[in-house]
Amino acid sequence: MAEKKEKKLVAADEKTKTAAKEVEKNMKQSKPVGDSAPLRIGAIICWIFALLCEVGAYLILVGKFNLKFLPSMWQIIIMLVLDLILIIVGASFWKKANHISPASEKNKLKFWLWNNMGVLVTVICFVPFLVLLLLNKDLDKKTKGILCAVAVVAMLLAGAGSYDYNPVSEEMQKAAVQTLGDETVYWAPFGKVYHTHKDCQALNQSDTLTYGTVAEAIAANRSRLCAFCARKDEITGVATDE
Ligand SMILES: [Zn+2]
């Protein structure tokens, strides 16, 4: 006996209701811009511990330190994973600090250093260990191979996780603050831009929007103005996503 299939009926006005819902977005006020100094200190503390993990991994490797409850190889792997985690956590603090008080483009060395600090720390916290591991002659081939692979993968992950893909300069931040001042801007939970219009076409997909000043948007890692909004308001001189 064929069962009667029940059809789901959707009233025409229900569709309009969902459409209306899309326009009405969840609005959240941005957190105020904090101070960058504690973030930089936090980053440095994390990175010091990351360095200690590298040293710990080396000491376990040469048998000068042993936690006993696990085979040495696993102790080293734990140290390398902690090294990786601490680098990324430190870098997230550092990047946040850079978006609150960015370095000036005028000082090229400082600007480069400030934006690449996470990657630099990754190199410092992995390469010496890798070199010493490769030079080690007491280790059997298999263990050496596994440890090398783990260290290389952890290093690549740490580098990728600590690089700032959306860097800001002091000049960029100043130009945006001077142009937009205290005007309210909007940004979606994901993405790298802020908008001057909450009904911007680029925000159609987002149910939740955060609003705040442009300084708050930059601190929240939205360092560029949406190109549609810039064109609509004829804003020039502010970095856009174009
Ligand atoms: Zn926009």
Side-chain angles (χ1 to χ4, degrees):
M1 212 173 89
E3 269 179 50
K4 225 184 189 179
K5 268 192 189 160
E6 262 187 47
K7 279 189 186 152
K8 203 180 165 217
L9 293 172
V10 181
D13 71 324
E14 231 170 89
K15 268 190 186 166
T16 358
K17 262 187 222 160
T18 14
K21 225 190 239 166
E22 271 168 21
V23 179
E24 212 175 278
K25 291 174 195 290
N26 222 335
M27 301 296 281
K28 274 196 307 195
Q29 190 169 4
S30 165
K31 284 186 212 136
V33 178
D35 194 359
S36 65
L39 289 167
R40 297 215 192 268
I41 295 167
I44 291 165
I45 292 171
C46 284
W47 289 339
I48 289 171
F49 277 100
L51 192 64
L52 290 176
C53 286
E54 184 189 26
V55 174
Y58 174 70
L59 292 178
I60 295 166
L61 179 75
V62 294
K64 290 203 172 130
F65 180 67
N66 200 318
L67 294 166
K68 301 231 164 70
F69 64 92
L70 272 174
S72 301
M73 191 184 83
W74 283 103
Q75 293 181 34
I76 295 173
I77 291 175
I78 289 173
M79 286 292 169
L80 294 175
V81 171
L82 283 176
D83 188 354
L84 155 73
I85 294 170
L86 285 162
I87 290 173
I88 293 183
V89 172
S92 73
F93 290 150
W94 188 264
K95 283 187 269 186
K96 177 96 184 161
N98 278 353
H99 285 236
I100 294 171
S101 64
S104 166
E105 275 171 68
K106 281 180 201 144
N107 186 339
K108 285 204 174 83
L109 178 68
K110 187 184 170 189
F111 186 66
W112 186 87
L113 266 178
W114 254 226
N115 288 321
N116 292 283
M117 197 64 90
V119 177
L120 207 67
V121 169
T122 303
V123 171
I124 295 169
C125 291
F126 275 105
V127 172
F129 174 78
L130 258 170
V131 172
L132 293 167
L133 176 67
L134 289 170
L135 292 175
N136 191 297
K137 288 188 176 96
D138 305 327
L139 225 56
D140 64 281
K141 261 191 176 172
K142 193 184 161 200
T143 315
K144 205 172 181 171
I146 293 172
L147 287 177
C148 256
V150 171
V152 168
V153 170
M155 181 173 74
L156 294 176
L157 287 175
S162 51
Y163 183 70
D164 193 347
Y165 298 91
N166 200 18
V168 193
S169 69
E170 193 185 332
E171 288 75 13
M172 243 173 91
Q173 188 198 41
K174 269 192 185 154
V177 172
Q178 267 168 17
T179 310
L180 296 163
D182 288 333
E183 195 182 313
T184 304
V185 296
Y186 308 87
W187 60 95
F190 302 101
K192 288 179 175 171
V193 294
Y194 57 87
H195 306 259
T196 44
H197 296 270
K198 62 180 165 199
D199 54 358
C200 171
Q201 63 187 95
L203 287 170
N204 283 348
Q205 301 298 317
S206 316
D207 295 333
T208 309
L209 291 186
T210 309
Y211 64 94
T213 62
V214 68
E216 285 164 352
I218 294 174
N221 202 21
R222 272 68 174 183
S223 38
R224 286 163 175 80
L225 171 64
C226 152
F228 295 124
C229 289
R231 243 178 272 135
K232 203 167 178 180
D233 293 343
E234 294 173 352
I235 296 171
T236 50
V238 174
T240 66
D241 61 335
E242 248 177 3

